[in-house]
Amino acid sequence: MVASLSNISADNNHEAILSNAGGFSTFNYGGYNIRFKAPYSLERYTDVLKWEDGYLVVKAKYRHNSEPEEEYIDLKPILDGLYIDCDDFLKPIKSVRVAYV
């Protein structure tokens, strides 16, 4: 797994943003842009179905399928790999939405 962390503008609410670009998924919250390797055929995330303490159930559109399919993302191992305290980082997040610039 490839992951990186960079500081971006602060998020003043309790909502995180999920997106993807350039072969990476991105999770933005609290001034951080956490990037991790995405599946090779991922075109885009279309919806967040569930957010629960670092675990996401999302709809994702892949090149090999005409319809979005359910995908699962567990952020805890990614955060651990970046030496981020999962409990402190995830606790204030109340919702996650998909957004693209």
Side-chain angles (χ1 to χ4, degrees), residues 16-86:
I17 305 295
L18 177 69
S19 63
N20 72 294
F24 289 89
S25 294
T26 59
F27 186 85
N28 296 294
Y29 181 74
Y32 291 97
N33 180 25
I34 299 168
R35 296 180 346 131
F36 48 98
K37 191 73 175 142
Y40 76 93
S41 63
L42 176 66
E43 291 180 352
R44 66 181 297 129
Y45 295 108
T46 60
D47 195 19
V48 175
L49 303 175
K50 182 178 182 179
W51 164 254
E52 186 175 311
D53 192 33
Y55 188 75
L56 287 156
V57 179
V58 300
K59 285 289 195 170
K61 172 67 178 82
Y62 292 96
R63 278 180 256 163
H64 62 271
N65 192 347
S66 61
E67 296 295 320
E69 56 190 85
E70 208 167 84
E71 179 69 54
Y72 310 94
I73 301 169
D74 187 355
L75 290 172
K76 287 185 177 184
I78 296 166
L79 296 171
D80 285 341
L82 295 168
Y83 303 101
I84 296 173
D85 184 296
C86 293

Side-chain angles (χ1 to χ4, degrees), residues 9-24:
S9 61
D11 182 352
N12 293 324
N13 60 30
H14 299 285
E15 180 178 72
I17 305 295
L18 177 69
S19 63
N20 72 294
F24 289 89

